[in-house]
Amino acid sequence: MDKFIIDGGRRLFGEVRLQSAKNSVLPLFAASVLTESKVTILDTPEISDALCMAQILRELGADVSFHGSNVVIDSANADSHEISSTLTKELRSSVFMLGSLLTRFHRARIAYPGGCDIGLRPIDLHLNALKRLGVDIIERDGYILCECKELRGAEILLDFPSVGATENILLAAVKAEGTTVLQGAAKEPEIVDLQNFLNQMGAKVQGAGTDVIVIEGVKKLGGVTFRPMKDRIEAGTFLIAAAICGGEIEMNGIKSENIGLLLHKLRENGCKIHIKNDKIRLESHGRLRCNRRIETMPFPGFPTDLQAQTTALNCTAEGGALVVENLFETRFKYVPELQKMGADIEVKGRHAFVRGVPRLHGATLVAGDLRGGAALVLAALGAEGVSEVLDLSHVDRGYSDLQKKLSNLGAKVKRVRI
């Protein structure tokens, strides 16, 4: 197990090279099973979730090879429809494999997916949608068993705009007989990326980015070489880091509309934001102001994956902030760690009341999930003194070369093996 040792209080300056989006890359790995031709995913981040997805594909019989940051996937010899519980319990994104395996083999057997412990994330929306496409499902002994004679297009209405369910429906319907109309779809940019990927393979999908997606089933899909979108959550994390620490950073390749509400909130804090094409520059000087209210919502609302980092920012801003978490009921599990540093936060259910203090102090912290762990790193960067952030396995799930990128900006961060 590794830990970060962070000597806080240093301003950040420079340019951040953003990785491809974790939440785009993982569904693309799953989609590679839909074709027997080679798929190349360019600029894949070296994160543990991507490595886990690669191992899942290998267990299915696919050949997965890494060439620098590019990944070549050849699923021609894939012959298994089962995924071991060891891997599915490590990675929630393994649930995407249901739609892909059903399309490829008309059957699938996976254990209930795992991932970060941030609350209940039931997959009923996924399973009910698959039933509409003609899939018989049995849940037994912690496993999901799915089977169908054929997949048939259908009209599907999601009660909630679930990103995972939307992507799973695309993967299951892309070669189904007839047309599938999905209403109530999630609108996240990563779904647009998946649509573009599938269409370059020969699919007929339209409407991603809106709440209605139409999928016309095709007989065959081919290979593709694809460069995923940049990671908007990584971009937001670094912007918040610079806001907390003060300084000036710049990043390229990120569409401002993908993080529009975060940029609005950072301006509300007192940061200066400069946008030109796909380039964003942030300047932060002096003590910031608290956001009056942060409330997580599905895209284009404020992303739940940036809630913890923004809470860390408000800990040392002037005034008070109300943070409302609407998506995951235990997202505030990181709060006791911030309190060790002197943060004044009161949690009541899905609400956190933050009263800004002049400064945080160094402490020994434990990362309990991916985004909560990122928030602890950011808080440590802005704190007085030295902090240790333990259990980096969670942070490694979503951030590639985090220590190196922060050090290049002027932070004093050391990664050591415990």
Side-chain angles (χ1 to χ4, degrees):
M1 185 170 69
D2 288 2
K3 67 178 179 180
F4 280 153
I5 301 175
I6 301 173
D7 191 354
R10 286 164 171 76
R11 291 161 64 82
L12 304 182
F13 294 91
E15 184 174 339
V16 181
R17 184 186 182 279
L18 297 173
Q19 67 188 34
S20 293
K22 164 188 179 286
N23 292 332
S24 176
V25 167
L26 300 183
L28 302 187
F29 270 62
S32 69
V33 177
L34 300 172
T35 178
E36 296 186 19
S37 300
K38 287 185 179 181
V39 168
T40 301
I41 303 174
L42 304 174
D43 198 22
T44 300
E46 191 177 343
I47 54 176
S48 58
D49 273 11
L51 298 176
C52 187
M53 277 296 285
Q55 189 56 36
I56 287 174
L57 296 180
R58 291 187 181 110
E59 282 204 357
L60 298 175
D63 180 70
V64 183
S65 56
F66 286 77
H67 305 271
S69 63
N70 301 331
V71 179
V72 178
I73 303 169
D74 186 349
S75 298
N77 295 321
D79 58 3
S80 174
H81 64 277
E82 299 189 16
I83 305 175
S84 70
S85 60
T86 302
L87 290 171
T88 56
K89 289 176 180 177
E90 286 293 318
L91 180 65
R92 179 167 179 79
S93 296
S94 58
V95 74
F96 297 133
M97 297 305 302
L98 276 177
S100 295
L101 292 175
L102 285 164
T103 296
R104 179 71 180 266
F105 302 112
H106 287 177
R107 58 177 59 86
R109 181 179 186 269
I110 71 168
Y112 276 96
C116 283
D117 182 15
I118 53 174
L120 295 173
R121 295 190 280 182
I123 60 171
D124 292 354
L125 290 172
H126 300 245
L127 302 183
N128 290 335
L130 293 175
K131 289 176 183 177
R132 293 283 298 157
L133 295 172
V135 179
D136 296 320
I137 298 172
I138 298 174
E139 300 176 64
R140 179 189 301 154
D141 301 327
Y143 279 83
I144 305 165
L145 311 174
C146 302
E147 194 168 15
C148 63
K149 291 183 179 179
E150 66 174 356
L151 290 160
R152 302 184 301 275
E155 291 191 7
I156 300 172
L157 175 62
L158 291 179
D159 294 331
F160 177 82
S162 162
V163 175
T166 298
E167 292 172 332
N168 224 340
I169 292 164
L170 264 65
L171 296 173
V174 70
K175 293 175 70 176
E177 186 68 30
T179 300
T180 297
V181 178
L182 172 59
Q183 300 184 58
K187 304 175 185 178
E188 271 70 5
E190 293 82 5
I191 295 169
V192 178
D193 232 27
L194 178 58
Q195 172 184 270
N196 294 340
F197 181 86
L198 293 171
N199 285 345
Q200 288 186 32
M201 295 171 76
K204 295 182 178 179
V205 183
Q206 59 181 352
T210 75
D211 59 358
V212 180
I213 299 177
V214 180
I215 308 116
E216 183 181 341
V218 298
K219 296 296 184 183
K220 187 176 181 179
L221 295 174
V224 63
T225 296
F226 190 84
R227 186 180 300 277
M229 63 178 279
K230 295 298 183 183
D231 196 317
R232 62 194 175 99
I233 304 303
E234 185 196 31
T237 299
F238 275 95
L239 289 169
I240 295 168
I244 291 173
C245 295
E248 182 176 340
I249 69 167
E250 185 174 280
M251 55 189 61
N252 292 293
I254 187 75
K255 295 181 179 179
S256 60
E257 58 265 31
N258 287 350
I259 52 172
L261 198 48
L262 172 66
L263 297 177
H264 170 71
K265 293 297 181 183
L266 289 170
R267 288 190 178 102
E268 188 176 270
N269 292 128
C271 297
K272 293 182 179 179
I273 308 287
H274 308 273
I275 300 170
K276 185 176 181 180
N277 300 323
D278 65 349
K279 180 182 294 185
I280 299 174
R281 189 172 82 254
L282 176 141
E283 297 178 37
S284 176
H285 305 287
R287 191 178 181 192
L288 301 179
R289 300 182 297 272
C290 273
N291 300 113
R292 294 287 298 275
R293 184 184 181 95
I294 297 285
E295 184 167 5
T296 64
M297 297 290 286
F299 189 84
F302 195 88
T304 183
D305 280 351
L306 288 174
Q307 178 258 98
Q309 300 92 309
T310 307
T311 300
L313 182 156
N314 280 281
C315 285
T316 53
E318 187 173 3
L322 171 62
V323 182
V324 183
E325 174 54 57
N326 290 308
L327 301 182
F328 298 118
E329 67 277 6
T330 60
R331 269 285 199 198
F332 291 121
K333 289 178 68 174
Y334 64 88
V335 166
E337 301 302 301
L338 290 178
Q339 290 169 335
K340 290 180 184 178
M341 309 177 76
D344 185 355
I345 308 174
E346 181 182 2
V347 176
K348 292 184 177 180
R350 292 178 179 263
H351 297 73
F353 303 89
V354 184
R355 300 171 187 86
V357 297
R359 64 190 59 83
L360 299 179
H361 55 77
T364 298
L365 312 166
V366 180
D369 64 81
L370 169 54
R371 306 307 177 184
L376 301 183
V377 172
L378 301 194
L381 290 171
E384 285 188 345
V386 176
S387 297
E388 295 186 353
V389 182
L390 308 180
D391 200 355
L392 295 183
S393 61
H394 293 290
V395 178
D396 290 341
R397 291 186 52 236
Y399 296 95
S400 175
D401 294 327
L402 182 58
Q403 181 269 337
K404 181 179 178 181
K405 290 179 179 179
L406 289 171
S407 296
N408 287 343
L409 295 175
K412 192 172 183 180
V413 183
K414 182 167 62 173
R415 182 171 182 139
V416 298
R417 180 62 56 89
I418 300 176

